Structure formats: structure tokens, C-alpha cells
Amino acid sequence: MKWILFIAATALIGWIHLKNRNSMKLSWPDYGKTLLGIGPKAKGRKEYLDQLRFLSVMLVILVHSMQSAASKILEASRLWYVLTGAAGLGLCCNLLFVMISGALLLPCREESATAFYRKRLSKVVLPLAAYYLFYLHRSGLVSLSPDSLWSACLRILSGPMELVPHFWLVYVLIRLYIPVPFFRRMTGNLTDSMEKAIAWVVILGAAFKTGCYFLGISFGFDTVWFSWEGIFLLGYVLSRDRGRTYDKGIWAGGLCGAVLIVWVHATRTDGAVCAANDSLLMVLFSMAVFLLFLRCDGLAGKRKKTPSGILRKSVSAVVRMISRYSYSILLIHWFMLFVVAEKHMRLGPFFFGPSHVAAGLLLQSAAALMLSLAFAVIYDNTAVLLAEWLWETFWNILRQKGKPGRF
């Protein structure tokens, strides 16, 4: 029975690719480049967001590798301080993922709520479910029986479990997508002064919260504006690029935030609370990193165009490819880092010995990144593609029967 299902799924996936290629009117080589994300650049594509995605993916893998290494050595040693402080800075990857989403999704556009949710379900929720099922299958927690699949669905709905602790960020991102169609109505009517006011409200709210964290008390006036939703909006505000008035202030705040992040993580046991995620220190540091890439992209656009060398084209292709599959890499990297690279390939932070931990970290992280990318390319264009096709088919049947309207 399993082989029959496998053969049927393989044939259907091949037919879906053939249909997609014909609809795009591309040759097979060009279609392959499109799947890899290295085809012709879309008009208006913002390269700095691709670069930020690339950086975020690299950091999320490095952070988990450094945190794992730090947990295996003597606390308060010199190496422990370096790993803990560096991992603390690397946690800006979480905020960068959220800011990138805000920059891409919040600008006002003509798209109904129905169309938005349909696309997010296909491109975000279904891949999450597919990768969650992969983890459950690898752990022997799901089979093809209806009861087992129903239990897996309930697990997915309940959020991340110990098996997939890194999925918490994905659930946060999905939560942020829910109000996007309504936020767009708001952003379409915002003036420059109102956008700046929103940024100040988010920053000041984070400041009050962080002050309470340092004092060891709870913040009784917390709202979504002082949490991930606020950081989501900051990504939009920063991407608007209305001038350089606040650049020096943001970079100065980011530098101070970076120093304090390292100090807090190295000296306090509550560093994950006081200097990560929605902490003012991490917000300022992440804003500075985001703005740095935005400004560098602007400077590159003003330079006279020169012929691109092979190395530059290759680097650009790798960045675009990893950017395209960044979401899937985020989902699968935990398995590739700790199960494949560390457990089976024996590539750990101490692969070259205690005196060459940096080399071990880079080797392990690079291996995990390449393995994650390879798996994402295959899995996204087979299992996830099939799930998306089934969803689109189901949606079209519903639309033909009920013909839901726009809302």
C-alpha cells in the first residue's frame, strides 16, 4: 500500500511540475533556476531583504550551535563568556525575521483578506504542517492511520513541543499575519509623523518593559504594541526610508545595545529576558542591523554599474537561493544541526579540539546550512508542493460550489 501511494504521489508531483513549467512558458533549465530562486530578478525586488534573510538564517544556526557549545563547557570560563555573549548578539535573528515580514507584508496594496489568508495558508501554514509531520515521523509519533494523523493535527494546532522547540518563532510569525489585511488599511493612511510616533511608542514601551525586567518585576501595562506586533510594525517603518534624520541615533542606540546585550548575557541568569526578543536592547540592536543593510543597498544602487565577476554572481546566487528557502531552512535546521551534523556526522563545536572552537562552530553551522538547503529544495518541491496543490484543488472546489465573495 505504501509503495502504491508513493508511486501515485511521485507521478502527481511530476505532473504538477510539468503543468507549472508550461504555464510559465519556460524551458526546463530556466524552470529549475526559478525553483532555486536564481532566475531573473523580479521587478522592484529589494536585495537588502534577501541579504537580511541570509544573515538571519546564518545567525539562527550559529546561535543554536554556540548555545550548545556553551552548555558543554565550564561556566564563567573565558570561552563560555565569548560563546554566551556572541550567542546573545546573534539572537537578533528572531527580530530580523519579524521585521523583514513587516517590511514585506504591511505596505498597503490591493489584496482582499480572503486572498491574503489563502496565500498565507498555502505558503506558510502548510509548510509548517509538512515539516512538523516530518519531525513526528522521524520520532515514530505518526503513521498513516486516521487516528494517528488526527493526533498529529492536534499536536500541530497546540504549538511547538519539545521535539521542535525552535518552531516558537514560526508560530509567532503566523500570529502576526492574522491582522495584516487590517494593518494595511491603517498603514495606507499613515503620515510621516504618525509612522514616527508608532516607532517611538514601540521603543518607549520596550524601554519600560526592559526596566521592569531588570528590576525583577512584571510590567502591568503591556500591550501587543510593546511585543512582537510592535517589532513587526518597526520593520515596516524602517523600510519606508523617509530620510536619514534618525540614522545616527539608531546606530548609536544599536551600538550601546550590543555592548549591554553581551554584558547582560554574560553576567545575569535572566539574560534571555532582559536582553533578547522584545527587550529594548535587542530592539535597538536589531533596528541598527536592519538600517545598516538598507543603507548599504541604497549606496550600492547609486554606484555606477560595472560588469559583475563570476565570484560576485555566485555569491549573489547563493544569497538569493538561501533567501528563497529561508523559511524552510528555519524549520528543518534543528534536525540537520543536532541529528545529522552533530550525531551522525560527528561535526560538533569541538571537532578540532577545545582550542579551535570557532573553526568547529563554522564547520558544523556550514554543514547544517548546506544540508538544510538541500533538504528544503527537495522537500518543498515534492511533499510541500503536493500539499499546496491539494489545498488549491480543494479551495477551487469550494469556490465553485459556494463562490465566496471578497470581504
Side-chain angles (χ1 to χ4, degrees), residues 61-83:
I61 296 175
L62 272 170
V63 164
H64 288 143
S65 182
M66 288 189 288
Q67 289 175 336
S68 175
S71 67
K72 298 173 183 176
I73 62 177
L74 182 65
E75 189 171 331
S77 63
R78 181 181 298 177
L79 180 58
W80 182 87
Y81 281 122
V82 172
L83 290 172

Side-chain angles (χ1 to χ4, degrees), residues 63-268:
V63 164
H64 288 143
S65 182
M66 288 189 288
Q67 289 175 336
S68 175
S71 67
K72 298 173 183 176
I73 62 177
L74 182 65
E75 189 171 331
S77 63
R78 181 181 298 177
L79 180 58
W80 182 87
Y81 281 122
V82 172
L83 290 172
T84 303
L89 287 175
L91 288 172
C92 70
C93 60
N94 297 328
L95 284 79
L96 290 176
F97 274 119
V98 173
M99 287 181 173
I100 292 167
S101 296
L104 288 171
L105 296 177
L106 289 180
C108 186
R109 65 188 69 175
E110 288 296 324
E111 184 181 30
S112 68
T114 302
F116 174 82
Y117 291 133
R118 174 190 170 191
K119 187 174 181 180
R120 291 307 112 193
L121 194 148
S122 176
K123 300 300 182 183
V124 179
V125 178
L126 285 181
L128 166 65
Y131 278 87
Y132 212 134
L133 287 172
F134 169 81
Y135 279 96
L136 293 174
H137 174 70
R138 284 288 306 176
S139 301
L141 298 175
V142 67
S143 65
L144 292 177
S145 68
D147 289 342
S148 180
L149 291 173
W150 175 247
S151 176
C153 290
L154 295 179
R155 285 179 183 271
I156 295 170
L157 285 173
S158 65
M161 56 187 290
E162 187 177 355
L163 182 65
V164 285
H166 60 297
F167 274 23
W168 71 268
L169 178 61
V170 179
Y171 280 86
V172 167
L173 289 171
I174 293 174
R175 183 187 88 193
L176 294 173
Y177 294 159
I178 295 173
V180 163
F182 316 105
F183 275 173
R184 283 177 175 174
R185 296 291 182 92
M186 177 188 72
T187 57
N189 296 306
L190 289 177
T191 62
D192 290 2
S193 59
M194 292 170 70
E195 289 179 359
K196 293 173 184 176
I198 287 175
W200 277 113
V201 167
V202 174
I203 292 170
L204 290 175
F208 280 112
K209 282 181 68 172
T210 305
C212 290
Y213 292 158
F214 271 94
L215 294 174
I217 60 176
S218 60
F219 181 59
F221 303 96
D222 201 4
T223 75
V224 294
W225 293 90
F226 304 156
S227 187
W228 292 108
E229 285 77 6
I231 296 168
F232 192 52
L233 285 165
L234 278 179
Y236 165 76
V237 173
L238 285 172
S239 69
R240 298 287 285 167
D241 192 20
R242 294 295 182 85
R244 296 172 176 264
T245 306
Y246 298 97
D247 282 18
K248 292 182 179 179
I250 292 173
W251 280 326
L255 179 61
C256 293
V259 173
L260 290 173
I261 287 169
V262 173
W263 175 75
V264 170
H265 278 274
T267 59
R268 294 178 63 116

Side-chain angles (χ1 to χ4, degrees), residues 340-359:
V340 179
E342 187 167 284
K343 183 178 179 181
H344 295 298
M345 298 176 68
R346 306 294 182 185
L347 297 177
F350 303 100
F351 182 79
F352 297 107
S355 58
H356 298 89
V357 174

Side-chain angles (χ1 to χ4, degrees), residues 288-327:
V289 173
F290 189 100
L291 187 64
L292 177 64
F293 277 75
L294 174 63
R295 292 292 179 243
C296 288
D297 187 56
L299 290 174
K302 293 179 180 178
R303 294 173 185 165
K304 293 182 179 179
K305 293 185 177 180
T306 56
S308 298
I310 296 176
L311 179 60
R312 183 175 178 183
K313 286 183 178 180
S314 300
V315 171
S316 177
V318 170
V319 170
R320 290 170 62 192
M321 190 187 309
I322 291 176
S323 172
R324 176 182 174 84
Y325 288 96
S326 59
Y327 180 61

